[in-house]
Every structure is written in structure tokens, then in C-alpha cells.
Amino acid sequence: MAPVPNTEFDYREDVDPISGAPVIISVPKTVQAALDGIPYAAINNIAELFQPDRLREAWRLLRRNDPFDYQLEIADAIIYSCINSLGWLFVVMISRQAGKNEISAFIEHYLLLYGYVCGIPVSGVKFAPVHKPQVQASKDRLEGANTPDGNGLAGCTLTKNLWKAADGYKYHVGPPRDSNKWAFLSINPSANIASQTAFTLLEGDEAQDIDTNKWEKDAQPMATFRNATTVFYGVTWTKNCHIEKAKSQAYDMETRLEAELGYRPKLVFKVDAPAVIRSGNAFYKKAFESQLARLGPDHIAIQTQYLLNAVDTIGKYFTKEHVARMYANDYRMRLGPDPKSVYIFSVDVAGQEEGITEIEDVEVGCHKRDGIALHIGELQLDGTVVPVCMYQWVGIPHSKQREQILAIIKHWRCIGGAADATGIGEALAYYLVEKLPNLEIEPYKFKAAGDENKSKLGYLAYNYVTADKIKIPPKPQNDPQQAELWEELKWQIENLVRVAKKQQSINFHVPQNTAPRKIGHEAHDDLVMALFLLIRAAFIIKNPNMRKAKAIDRNDVM
């Protein structure tokens, strides 16, 4: 029997739409090569398809590609538990874009066809935290397409004329009935889960983001009636996320089963990026090594999504190495523009204090409330950002302060920037947009969609730091005010804390109980927030070289 080539993929870098975390997207090139080698002739009758030693042929027939060995091993173990009603708990942790959904879709397809051919009641329910894209992606993967190179229920010769969709979330092989269906539902904490029963298999996708209480209350009981198998798919996140809890439970079950059966069944599968590469996926190797080189091994996305190492829920945002790399340079701060350089700006806005204080009345960092922070940064041709001047005002009404901010931006001949447009900052941000129509200015709303925008900003800043694209000059020696702001920014960077939240999103702040850097000092994060917004400004201005050519246009704005 001729070997069937693996499906080839192109891999490209992208970002997660919810959290902003860097991810890899896989795009199939073609499955025609696999189609040419599918061994239809090797199966004499349909019953042979369900023999354990024919699992690879079954995969080739249903999915129209050849599985990697780790995919087949996982599918074999889960199907064994399902067909024998063993009720085992599996945890499948797989590096991003390494074929997790292919495994799940094959198992679902296989079991539905098995139930139809053998006349055995089969049903399953698959949950994911978010309907779009997670639930929808699972449905699409099972359904497939009735095309020359399609697979799934619609593309497989055996099921293309048998399958039916119903109610927008269920699939059947054969006449629609409760005992021969697969249902796909969202399990976000506010979802009203429809009453379903999983005779055979209960699945939880992206299980690191599942709410444990919601699962135990509404989902797990669906597996009770016929002792269905449970499987959780995903990567890891924090040490107390749902998939980590399930992993501990699965290891405990392995121990119990070993005493009962005399051997230890494998219920926890951990396939990290190096394991995927060892399987022979040369395309994945190139994509992962590119991510690793760009982000570095300590990046939170590399550690959790590709190396499958859980992180602490709360931890320092930047390592000592990150901080050292930011400050390892020989640039210098300035009080005015260099005609040969390109400048951008950022503004972080805080509320106004009840008792108005002028910046001269209080030392930097000793005011109770965050001030307005304005950063000016040099934007270099390779995208590197160098903060060259900082400003801060405390307690001054925004209506008075905005004219001074406008004058400073003009003084530096900035080509664009980012301004905090959350809450009270919205008026100032849109004032700058109105007064500087020829500049590329983004009003950035941190609370536009929960904390999603803040998470995206945090990941962006993290990416710039790990790529050595943010360089803070040494402390200025001849300007006491800039020197004090420099000290405050460094303290905020060193004490910034990351908080890991659901769906790989992150929050960040400087805790109020952080040890002060001097007597009377208060914990703030206004300068580091302005730094992150400066990075955002650099990100939205893609080609600073072309911007330099528009000096006349910038003069018109002045």
C-alpha cells in the first residue's frame, strides 16, 4: 500500500482577536496528494473500518489526509474508552495549530458512522467557551465540504449522502434522532445550555478558558446516563485554570485504573511544539522557530501556547533581562527635535484631583492620583521606539492642559500618536484629532470591549520589548525634572505586574502595596501606560521613512 503524504500547510503569524496574543495560523495548501493515496481497496467491507488496526485507514478515508502518529495515538485511546463505555477522563494538551481540531473532528465522525453502521446508540456534545469562532470552527471541521479535495461529513464518500444538520447546532449520520447526533454548544458563564445527553463522548475545547463551576454544574452531568468518556482539549494558561485541574484529575484516574487493571492507561497527552516538530512536520518547524526567534523563549505566549508550561496568575510583567535590554543603549534624551529624526507622541490621561495641585507643588510620584503623562518618542526606520522626552501634569483641568499638549506636539513636529480615549480622556483625544487633522492619531479606548483592548496593548508592548524594539536612553544628567521622570518610569517598569485572565488575555498595573522608591512616594502606572501607548503609536505608523518625506504637509499643520 502506497504511503499517504501528510497534508501540507502554510503557516503565518497572526494575533488572537480577543487577547492580542501572537499566534500561528495554518492554511492548508492542498490535500490532493493525500487523496491520490487513500487506500479504498484495502477495506473489503465497511465493518473492517472499525477494527483497531485499521484506524489509520479510517482517518485517511474520513479526513482525506494522513495523521501524524501523535494524532492517531490520541484518537485511538479516546475511541477505545468511548466504544467500551469506560467513562475515562482525557486531557489533550497540544501546541497551537498542531491538529487538535482534526483529532476531535475525526473522533466525532468515526463514532457517528460507527453508531450508524453497527446500530449502536451514539451521541456526543462538544463545548467551547465562545460560540464564534471556537464553536463555529468545530462545527465547520466536522461538517467539511463536498468538494474534490473536501473531507468531513460532507466530503467523505461514506457519509456525504447520509449526514444532516439540525437546529443550527447538531449533526446526524442517518435519520436525525437523539441517539445518533453530535451537538455543539457554548459554555461561557452566562450561556443557557440546552438540555442534551452525551451517550458516548463529552468534549471541552479550549479547556484552559472553561469556567470550572459552570462545567461541573451544567455540562458534566450530561455524561452520566451511559458513563460517557470526557475529553478536554487545549493549551495551558495559569496553574489553576480548568485544564490544569482536569490534568490532575486525569493523573489520579490513571493511578486508580492501574491498581484495578494491572497497567496504567495513558489519559494525559502533552504534545508541545518540539514534539510536533519531532513528528516530522517540517513546515511547523519553520513557523515555530520564526516565532521563537521573534518573541524569545520567555514570552508568555511561547511558554503557554507552544511549550505548554503554565504561568502564575500574577507575576512581574518584565523580567530583569527585559528591563536590562530596554536600557542597554547609548541614545540620549532631548528637549527639542532633531531635524533629521521622526517623532511620535502618546498621552495617558487620569482623573483630576479634588484638591488641585501643580506639578511644582509635589515631587514626581508623590501625588495621590495619576497625572496626565505625555511621551515624545523617536521612531526609527526599523520601527524601534526611543522615548526622548517626558512630560507630566497633576491636577490641572484638562480644558487648560490640552492647549499646552497641542503646542508640545507641534514643537516636536510629530507625525502621529496615540491618546488614551477612555472615560475622561475621550474629550482630550478627540480634541487632538480635530486640531491635527493631517497627523495619524489613534484615540485608544482601554475599555472598548471589557479588558480586551488593554490586553492587546499589553501583548503589543511585550512583543516590542522581546524584539528589542523599545530603547529607553540612559538617565539625563543635566535636567533634574527629566531625570526624576526617568527614575519614576524605570520604577514603574520594574514593578509592573501582569494578571492572567480568561482566554489568554492579560491585565497589568503597579500594585498599591509596592515598596515606594522614596519617602512619600505613591504607586502609579501613568508613565508606563504612556510608554505602552507610544509603542501603539509606532505600531499604527507602519512606514516612518515615507512619513519623513511629508515634511511640507507637517509644516502645514503647524
Side-chain angles (χ1 to χ4, degrees):
M1 179 169 50
V4 180
N6 289 305
T7 303
E8 293 185 359
F9 291 87
D10 281 324
Y11 293 91
R12 67 170 186 263
E13 296 177 357
D14 205 337
V15 297
D16 181 81
I18 295 176
S19 66
V23 295
I24 295 175
I25 301 296
S26 62
V27 181
K29 290 182 176 180
T30 177
V31 296
Q32 190 59 50
L35 282 174
D36 294 340
I38 291 178
Y40 294 104
I43 298 174
N44 297 315
N45 62 71
I46 192 66
E48 290 185 17
L49 189 69
F50 305 111
Q51 296 298 318
D53 61 347
R54 297 300 182 92
L55 196 63
R56 185 176 294 274
E57 283 73 22
W59 183 296
R60 290 168 172 172
L61 188 62
L62 303 184
R63 299 309 302 166
R64 292 197 178 188
N65 57 56
D66 197 33
F68 289 102
D69 288 345
Y70 64 84
Q71 292 178 302
L72 209 61
E73 180 190 12
I74 293 166
D76 187 28
I78 294 171
I79 289 172
Y80 175 77
S81 176
C82 289
I83 289 178
N84 292 285
S85 299
L86 299 179
W88 289 355
L89 167 64
F90 293 89
V91 171
V92 179
M93 302 172 75
I94 299 185
S95 178
R96 288 294 186 196
Q97 296 297 326
K100 163 178 66 74
N101 284 333
E102 275 289 285
I103 298 170
S104 176
F106 166 70
I107 292 170
E108 294 156 4
H109 195 170
Y110 182 100
L111 291 173
L112 282 172
L113 185 61
Y114 171 82
Y116 173 76
V117 171
C118 300
I120 296 172
V122 165
S123 69
V125 183
K126 185 174 185 179
F127 288 98
V130 178
H131 181 75
K132 287 186 178 181
Q134 294 167 353
V135 174
Q136 190 62 53
S138 292
K139 290 167 57 181
D140 293 344
R141 193 64 65 94
L142 174 60
E143 181 175 329
N146 186 11
T147 61
D149 63 348
N151 56 29
L153 294 172
C156 173
T157 303
L158 295 176
T159 56
K160 65 194 308 181
N161 296 319
L162 290 176
W163 76 279
K164 291 181 175 62
D167 302 327
Y169 67 96
K170 292 185 290 188
Y171 291 91
H172 305 264
V173 170
R177 62 187 188 276
D178 191 58
S179 61
N180 193 47
K181 63 109 172 67
W182 222 272
F184 295 84
L185 299 169
S186 168
I187 194 169
N188 71 70
S190 61
N192 293 318
I193 298 175
S195 178
Q196 298 291 326
T197 301
F199 290 167
T200 314
L201 180 59
L202 184 65
E203 300 175 281
D205 194 17
E206 298 296 340
Q208 69 279 356
D209 295 325
I210 288 176
D211 182 278
T212 300
N213 293 332
K214 180 75 171 179
W215 179 272
E216 296 297 343
K217 176 178 177 292
D218 293 343
Q220 194 62 51
M222 296 180 183
T224 304
F225 182 61
R226 295 207 178 189
N227 194 31
T229 296
T230 300
V231 57
F232 294 110
Y233 304 96
V235 293
T236 191
W237 186 227
T238 63
K239 296 176 181 178
N240 62 353
C241 70
H242 183 77
I243 201 167
E244 287 289 333
K245 297 174 184 176
K247 184 173 70 174
S248 297
Q249 294 171 358
Y251 279 136
D252 289 343
M253 180 175 280
E254 285 184 1
T255 302
R256 295 196 306 271
L257 290 172
E258 184 177 18
E260 176 185 334
L261 302 173
Y263 70 95
R264 189 181 184 94
K266 186 175 181 179
L267 304 182
V268 177
F269 295 88
K270 189 173 180 180
V271 185
D272 59 13
V276 176
I277 294 168
R278 288 194 300 271
S279 73
N281 191 332
F283 299 101
Y284 196 91
K285 181 176 186 292
K286 292 179 181 178
F288 174 68
E289 288 178 349
S290 173
Q291 286 276 73
L292 192 62
R294 185 173 63 87
L295 301 175
D298 295 329
H299 194 289
I300 190 171
I302 296 293
Q303 285 295 314
T304 58
Q305 296 189 37
Y306 300 100
L307 301 181
L308 306 179
N309 296 322
V311 297
D312 293 325
T313 303
I314 299 176
K316 283 293 182 70
Y317 202 90
F318 297 117
T319 66
K320 291 182 179 179
E321 180 186 350
H322 290 147
V323 176
R325 285 161 60 181
M326 274 189 269
Y327 286 90
N329 62 83
D330 56 3
Y331 297 108
R332 66 184 183 90
M333 299 183 72
R334 306 176 57 89
L335 294 178
D338 179 345
K340 299 179 182 179
S341 298
V342 174
Y343 297 99
I344 56 177
F345 75 90
S346 66
V347 181
D348 180 62
V349 179
Q352 302 169 55
E353 294 182 287
E354 293 181 8
I356 302 301
T357 58
E358 300 292 341
I359 190 64
E360 292 80 13
D361 297 334
V362 63
E363 292 185 60
V364 171
C366 293
H367 43 89
K368 294 291 184 182
R369 182 172 294 184
D370 286 349
I372 296 177
L374 169 65
H375 280 354
I376 302 296
E378 180 184 336
L379 180 58
Q380 299 185 342
L381 295 182
D382 65 353
T384 298
V385 187
V386 182
V388 293
C389 193
M390 291 179 278
Y391 303 83
Q392 186 185 62
W393 301 271
V394 179
I396 300 175
H398 297 172
S399 58
K400 295 182 179 179
Q401 197 56 60
R402 62 187 188 182
E403 293 180 4
Q404 188 173 358
I405 292 174
L406 179 63
I408 292 171
I409 293 171
K410 290 181 177 181
H411 167 70
W412 283 92
R413 307 168 70 85
C414 294
I415 64 171
D420 175 9
T422 308
I424 197 170
E426 186 172 16
L428 175 57
Y430 284 99
Y431 169 81
L432 295 176
V433 171
E434 177 185 354
K435 294 295 183 180
L436 301 168
N438 289 347
L439 271 63
E440 190 163 358
I441 300 174
E442 181 184 38
Y444 198 85
K445 294 190 177 184
F446 286 97
K447 299 290 184 180
D451 283 332
E452 291 177 14
N453 273 7
K454 192 170 184 181
S455 178
K456 291 174 183 177
L457 184 66
Y459 272 112
L460 180 65
Y462 198 81
N463 294 347
Y464 266 65
V465 170
T466 54
D468 279 331
K469 294 293 187 182
I470 179 73
K471 294 296 182 182
I472 301 175
K475 180 179 176 180
Q477 300 300 315
N478 300 319
D479 188 323
Q481 188 176 25
Q482 286 294 302
E484 186 66 13
L485 288 168
W486 187 95
E487 290 279 9
E488 176 66 14
L489 174 61
K490 191 169 189 292
W491 181 88
Q492 291 183 17
I493 288 173
E494 291 173 338
N495 290 284
L496 191 68
V497 164
R498 179 210 71 236
V499 181
K501 306 184 77 174
K502 290 287 182 70
Q503 297 175 336
Q504 281 75 61
S505 64
I506 51 177
N507 203 339
F508 44 89
H509 66 281
V510 176
Q512 290 300 307
N513 61 353
T514 304
R517 66 181 180 90
K518 59 183 179 180
I519 297 175
H521 183 256
E522 300 279 347
H524 298 283
D525 58 15
D526 46 3
L527 293 181
V528 73
M529 294 296 279
L531 179 67
F532 282 18
L533 285 170
L534 192 67
I535 292 170
R536 175 69 187 184
F539 177 74
I540 65 173
I541 299 171
K542 301 295 185 182
N543 194 330
N545 190 36
M546 290 184 64
R547 300 288 176 179
K548 284 183 67 175
K550 296 184 178 180
I552 296 177
D553 294 341
R554 295 205 305 275
N555 283 337
D556 291 341
V557 178
M558 308 304 170

